[in-house]
Amino acid sequence: MTIAVYPGTFDPVHFGHIEIAKRAAALFDHVIVAVYARPLKNLLFSTEERKALMRRAVADIPNIEVDSYTGVTVEYLRSRDARVIVRGLRVTYDFELEYQMALTNKKLASEIETVLLVTSLEYAFLSSSIVKEIAIAGGCINQMVSSDVERALFAKLKELGSEGQGKVPLVSLRD
Ligand code: ADP
């Protein structure tokens, strides 16, 4: 049985993430979507909120589990008996970062393989940052995220007021 981990910040989950998770679920026996609990960036949603949104987004796929973790990704994989890291690739800019991360992870844990899934063209432009920026500007995001995420996003922005804007970086393809 091959267990794969799809790690990420998912702040919040969008259709590009879901597509990668689904494709991973078709390739591997069990996929753990692992929400990174302490990333080095300002986040809009808490770990529990990001996890809950992700759980609802992939609820219809039986071999996907949603969890969270802190610390080194390959150590989390070892703790879960997982052998594969799944990541998504959008633009060439992603490639350099993912390549560097894959090499680093190989150095730290030679038994773990990284599998990079190339995004479908439809989602190649999509990032959580862009979704948040458009939401702040009052734009329509219903082709990028589920109605569940859309509701949560607007509720969060309302709750945080101007503080929320400080948690959204300038538009970047990379979150
Ligand atoms: P990170 O984990 O780098 O902070 P995210 O949580 O947004 O960023 O993304 C998690 C993973 O999903 C990364 O491998 C990222 O490249 C991938 N990803 C993000 N957006 C898309 C998309 N639109 N299509 C395919 N993969 C994506």
Side-chain angles (χ1 to χ4, degrees), residues 6-10 14 16-17 20 41 87-90 94 98 119 123 126 128 174-175:
Y6 177 30
T9 311
F10 308 116
H14 55 62
H17 294 134
I20 297 293
K41 51 186 170 183
R87 297 280 292 172
L89 267 190
R90 284 162 293 185
D94 267 357
E98 295 296 342
T119 182
Y123 302 126
L126 194 50
S128 297
R174 189 83 201 174
D175 293 304

Side-chain angles (χ1 to χ4, degrees), residues 20-138:
I20 297 293
K22 281 188 174 161
R23 284 164 57 193
L27 285 173
F28 303 105
D29 298 308
H30 187 68
V31 173
I32 303 167
V33 178
V35 176
Y36 191 31
R38 249 189 285 153
L40 301 168
K41 51 186 170 183
N42 283 336
L43 297 177
L44 203 53
F45 292 99
S46 71
T47 304
E48 285 312 311
E49 288 168 332
R50 286 178 285 137
K51 216 156 74 168
L53 289 170
M54 179 60 85
R55 254 194 201 124
R56 293 198 288 273
V58 295
D60 59 328
I61 310 153
N63 63 332
I64 299 188
E65 172 194 339
V66 180
D67 192 14
S68 58
Y69 75 105
T70 51
V72 181
T73 303
V74 290
E75 291 306 334
Y76 173 72
L77 267 89
R78 283 174 170 158
S79 76
R80 298 299 315 266
D81 284 328
R83 280 200 43 226
V84 178
I85 298 176
V86 171
R87 297 280 292 172
L89 267 190
R90 284 162 293 185
V91 282
T92 51
Y93 178 59
D94 267 357
F95 178 77
E96 286 185 16
L97 290 171
E98 295 296 342
Y99 186 62
Q100 187 182 23
M101 222 177 328
L103 289 178
T104 306
N105 285 330
K106 197 74 191 160
K107 193 125 198 121
L108 293 174
S110 60
E111 78 281 14
I112 290 172
E113 296 295 344
T114 298
V115 171
L116 300 177
L117 296 178
V118 176
T119 182
S120 50
L121 216 46
E122 198 183 344
Y123 302 126
F125 72 96
L126 194 50
S127 73
S128 297
S129 306
I130 282 179
V131 169
K132 288 181 279 192
E133 290 252 0
I134 295 173
I136 280 188

